[in-house]
Amino acid sequence: MAMLVILALPAGLEARADESPAAPAPNAKPEAQEAPKPQTPEELRADLYARLAASSDADETDGLVGLLLAAYAQSGSDTGDLLLERARKAMGEKEFDAAGKILDSTVALLPDWAEGWNARATLRYLDDDFDGSMADVAETLKREPRHLGALMGMSHILEARDKKEQALKVCERALAIAPHWRSAEKTADRLKASIANDEL
């Protein structure tokens, strides 16, 4: 049971009736402040692309690219996210057949999710299926034209096919989206050096 505590005021400081704070109206409710709505995956990616374009620092750019790559993996579906996680685990353990079955199911279940296609493109690249990988890269870029992982994947496939000039152009597309991205800069520098050497 709560105890009622009465504090005595010093003489002369007794509250006057006309100075007492107004009592709240019986039905008054405190103003509710709405919490900001979380960003959708699309809004998050758009924000990250804008921040990448404005970034002039390599460390900041690398961090933003990491956030963007993580954002691609957000399907908006718990099932999709779980399938991608399982497929990546299987790929890491070189269980390519199992990963392929999972990713086939993923793109069938969520055909509009760019990362499902990109993950299968990566798997096919690792399995030396460059034609299949390029086809899945194309599907990825239909859904997410600025997908950095897909662009760099395409660059690597073109380089593996000895199409270095085309590979460089695709790499430069990635750098137009993410200037100062070290990984893309290194790839571009390597391709430029290789092209120059071929021309000697």
Side-chain angles (χ1 to χ4, degrees), residues 106-175:
T106 303
V107 297
L109 178 67
L110 298 169
D112 294 329
W113 183 31
E115 190 58 25
W117 294 96
N118 183 61
R120 198 171 70 173
T122 302
L123 169 65
R124 290 177 166 177
Y125 177 82
L126 293 173
D127 204 24
D128 295 326
D129 177 7
F130 292 164
D131 289 338
S133 182
M134 190 67 90
D136 281 347
V137 165
E139 293 293 338
T140 303
L141 294 174
K142 280 182 189 176
R143 293 155 177 80
E144 184 79 22
R146 294 181 288 180
H147 194 296
L148 293 175
L151 288 170
M152 293 307 295
M154 179 184 285
S155 180
H156 292 314
I157 293 168
L158 290 168
E159 183 180 7
R161 289 175 162 173
D162 204 30
K163 297 181 178 181
K164 297 174 187 175
E165 291 85 358
Q166 293 179 39
L168 178 58
K169 286 180 182 178
V170 174
C171 189
E172 288 172 342
R173 279 175 61 190
L175 281 169

Side-chain angles (χ1 to χ4, degrees), residues 184-198:
E185 285 178 337
K186 288 177 182 177
T187 300
D189 289 344
R190 187 186 71 250
L191 287 166
K192 288 175 184 176
S194 182
I195 292 167
N197 186 59
D198 290 346

Side-chain angles (χ1 to χ4, degrees), residues 1-66:
M1 182 175 184
M3 293 177 58
L4 180 62
V5 179
I6 300 175
L7 297 178
L9 293 173
L13 293 182
E14 292 84 354
R16 290 169 41 191
D18 59 349
E19 292 177 345
S20 61
N27 296 325
K29 294 181 181 178
E31 292 185 13
Q33 293 185 351
E34 290 185 12
K37 292 181 179 178
Q39 289 180 308
T40 65
E42 293 79 11
E43 290 169 340
L44 174 59
R45 292 195 302 272
D47 178 56
L48 289 169
Y49 284 128
R51 291 169 64 188
L52 275 171
S55 176
S56 59
D57 178 79
D59 288 334
E60 179 186 23
T61 295
D62 285 349
L64 289 169
V65 169

